[in-house]
Every structure is written in structure tokens, then in C-alpha cells.
Amino acid sequence: MTKITAAITAVGKYVPEYILTNKELESYVDTNDEWITTRTGIKERRILKGEGLGTSYMAIKATEELLQKSNCNPAEIDLVIVATATPDLPVASTAAYVASEIGAVNAFGYDLQAACSSFLYGMSTAASYIESGRYKKVLLIGADKMSSIIDYTDRATCIIFGDGAGAVLFEPNNEGLGLQDEYLRSDGIGRDFLRIEAGGSIMPTTKQTVEDKKHFVYQEGKTVFKYAVSNMADVAEKMLTRNNLTELDIQWLVAHQANKRIIEATAKRVGVSSEKVMINIHKYGNTTSATLPLLLADYENELKRGDNLIFAAFGGGFTWGAAYLKWAYNS
């Protein structure tokens, strides 16, 4: 019996129209374009404007593009997973709402939260459902409205993050294409260095927590950078050694877009040349759960059937991991 693998068969994306440039940020905090570009590689980021527009809006837009490009009937989708750190609402599943809005009337849906590793973890989850043989079409969306949780007077975070969404469709494959291997990790020490302090069960929302700005992202940059550099590089290298791959076997490195120096360190560790590294951090900044699918959407036209892709991500918590995927189609 032929082994079922889970392949990505379609992608879609959405980024908001509003562009927040480094120049504009100079009017918010003590910074400048050269400082931001040198340390992060970011030139601009997209910000979702408009009353009542949240993460689901971008997730729906990205999915609509995917459906249009693939001619997929949304009624055939079995499951919708929204990987996000910024759901529309507490308790109510963003994915359930997205599924209803896109016409996925036969699907169930739920959110997956692992900070910047959310989409990578979601790939593992989506692939497992497909490989089980129980479901045929799993829609995985990475979407975050980071502007909703960023303090634009905090130089340590406001220069980094942007808003956006990317979507992929996983389907069964009998030719050995799709997800081949994964290595996912976590370490609870991370909550001390990258977190939102209030709004959860430990520190519920009060007037005081709002006044003290405890509902915004806090990041201890140097510590997070150190963990991210070593761990992303470690797991990416592990994917190669565990699958007897060399840098010559890899067509693309798909690394989380948190900081250009982290991306370059990961590429150097696995020996992949710069032309094989997907990069769009200069355009969007760190869109958290959306970085990996946005890369796939931006590079879709360059991807070829059978290409070997190495994914790597690192996020708050801490969460991190890598995956090895064979691309399933020519655009």
C-alpha cells in the first residue's frame, strides 16, 4: 500500500495596504532607518487599518486568493486551522468564524497558538490529519494582527512587527511529495523573556493593567536573539543530517522572518547560499504566524515540483522547530 503524505497544493496571501516605513517610525520613537535596517533588515511593515477589522479579515482574504487560484470548492474542506497569536476574540475560535465566512460548511476549525512557531506547528498538525487518511483537505492559515498588541512608544518592539496572513491547502499525495520530516521543540523558560503579561488567567484585565501597558508585547531582545540564533540553526541542521541531505540537495530555506541576522546565521549553519534563502522581512517585518506562508506565496512562482524545502522557526514560549518538505507542483 502506497504511503500517504501531506502535500501543499495551493497558497494564498494577504497584506494590508497601509505601509509603515522606518521613516514614519522616527516620529514615534528614537530611531532611524539606518539603525533599524542594520539590526533587523526591516525597511517597512504592513498595518491593518479600519474599525472592526481583525486577524480573521486577513485570514479570509488570504484564503479567498487561495481558493480563486486553485479552483478549490470550500465545501470540500474538512478542517480549518488558524495559526495565530492574535485571535479576534478570547474563547471564540477565529478559525470557526473564518470557516463559516469562506463557505467551508462541512469543516470544523480551531486556533493554534505557539507564537512565531504557530504555522510550523500547524504544518505538523495538518499533515497528521491528512496522513491518517481521515481527511482530504486541510486549510492551514497563518495570520496575525501584531499592531493590535504593540506599544508604538516601545522602540524594542514597534520596529519589528507587522500584520499579514498566508494560507496553504494540504492534500494527500501518493508520490512521496509533501511533508517528509519534522523536529519540534519547546522550553517554558521563554515566558520570562517574550510575553504579554496581562489579560490571561494569571493577571486578568483591570484598569491598572491597561494603564501600566501590560497588554502589549514585552521582549528582552538580546536574550531572545541568542536563543533564536542557536536553536533555529540547530534544528535546521538536524533536518539535513537526519535525512542525509547536503546543502546541494536543498533548493530553499524557508526561515521565520524575525531578524535578518538570525536568518543569515541559520543559512550559514546549514551551508545554504543566500540565493536559496527566501526573504521578505524588508517588506513586511515580523508577521509572527504569517511569515512562513507569506514566503511561500511570494516565492510560489519560483518553486518547482520536487524542490526540497527546509522550514525553521522560533517563537515565544519558547517554541521552535524545523521541517523538511518536498514541493508538490509547478506554478
Side-chain angles (χ1 to χ4, degrees):
M1 186 175 176
T2 307
K3 183 179 185 293
I4 297 173
T5 52
I8 292 174
T9 59
V11 300
K13 65 174 271 194
Y14 174 80
V15 290
E17 292 181 8
Y18 188 88
I19 298 173
L20 176 59
T21 64
N22 290 346
K23 183 68 177 175
E24 184 177 345
L25 281 172
E26 291 177 14
S27 65
Y28 297 172
V29 291
D30 180 18
T31 191
N32 59 66
D33 176 67
E34 182 186 9
W35 192 92
I36 297 171
T37 305
T38 302
R39 284 161 179 78
T40 69
I42 301 168
K43 300 294 287 186
E44 55 191 41
R45 64 290 291 149
R46 301 299 182 98
I47 304 297
L48 182 63
K49 302 277 190 176
E51 188 176 347
L53 300 183
T55 294
S56 65
Y57 176 83
M58 297 185 292
I60 292 165
K61 289 285 189 182
T63 301
E64 286 174 346
E65 182 182 91
L66 179 152
L67 294 172
Q68 184 178 10
K69 286 163 58 178
S70 65
N71 291 319
C72 172
N73 179 356
E76 295 176 354
I77 296 172
D78 300 300
L79 166 62
V80 177
I81 301 172
V82 173
T84 185
T86 56
D88 283 2
L89 304 166
V91 184
S93 167
T94 302
Y97 178 73
V98 170
S100 295
E101 291 297 299
I102 64 169
V105 293
N106 296 307
F108 69 104
Y110 59 85
D111 299 349
L112 192 158
Q113 205 283 79
C116 295
S117 303
S118 296
F119 186 85
L120 185 72
Y121 281 24
M123 287 175 61
S124 171
T125 307
S128 296
Y129 279 112
I130 295 293
E131 290 166 4
S132 74
R134 191 171 295 174
Y135 302 113
K136 302 297 185 186
K137 294 181 188 291
V138 177
L139 176 66
L140 172 62
I141 307 163
D144 269 305
K145 185 183 176 182
M146 293 303 295
S147 62
S148 67
I149 55 172
I150 295 300
D151 176 5
Y152 284 92
T153 65
D154 175 17
R155 186 176 72 166
T157 56
C158 75
I159 66 170
I160 297 170
F161 295 97
D163 304 338
V168 303
L169 185 67
F170 275 94
E171 295 186 87
N173 185 276
N174 296 310
E175 301 170 288
L177 303 170
L179 191 66
Q180 306 293 308
D181 195 14
E182 64 182 46
Y183 186 66
L184 307 178
R185 309 297 297 157
S186 64
D187 186 343
I189 193 175
R191 65 157 48 177
D192 293 332
F193 308 112
L194 179 52
R195 67 181 188 271
I196 294 176
E197 194 169 359
S201 59
I202 292 176
M203 188 184 295
T205 304
T206 64
K207 180 182 178 183
Q208 193 64 48
T209 63
V210 174
E211 290 176 353
D212 293 343
K213 296 187 173 183
K214 292 185 180 294
H215 296 268
F216 293 122
V217 169
Y218 161 80
Q219 175 171 278
E220 194 173 299
K222 289 182 179 179
T223 303
V224 174
F225 182 87
K226 181 182 73 174
Y227 273 95
V229 166
S230 61
N231 286 315
M232 265 181 64
D234 282 350
V235 292
E237 184 180 43
K238 192 177 187 72
M239 276 297 95
L240 269 67
T241 57
R242 205 157 83 168
N243 291 280
N244 298 314
L245 300 169
T246 71
E247 67 278 5
L248 299 176
D249 299 312
I250 303 304
Q251 278 70 51
W252 295 101
L253 174 66
V254 192
H256 171 54
Q257 307 287 290
N259 183 296
K260 193 176 182 184
R261 290 184 293 167
I262 298 173
I263 299 165
E264 289 171 345
T266 303
K268 184 178 180 181
R269 181 72 165 273
V270 297
V272 172
S273 57
S274 59
E275 58 267 21
K276 290 184 174 183
V277 180
M278 292 187 183
I279 192 150
N280 59 15
I281 190 172
H282 55 293
K283 296 192 295 183
Y284 308 136
N286 181 352
T287 55
T288 304
S289 308
T291 63
L292 299 181
L294 281 175
L295 285 171
L296 294 179
D298 282 354
Y299 282 82
E300 184 185 18
N301 290 336
E302 297 182 50
L303 292 169
K304 297 178 178 63
R305 178 183 164 88
D307 277 359
N308 290 321
L309 279 59
I310 298 295
F311 292 77
F314 183 89
F318 288 127
T319 60
W320 71 97
Y324 164 35
L325 178 137
K326 280 186 175 291
W327 196 249
Y329 65 95
N330 295 317
S331 295

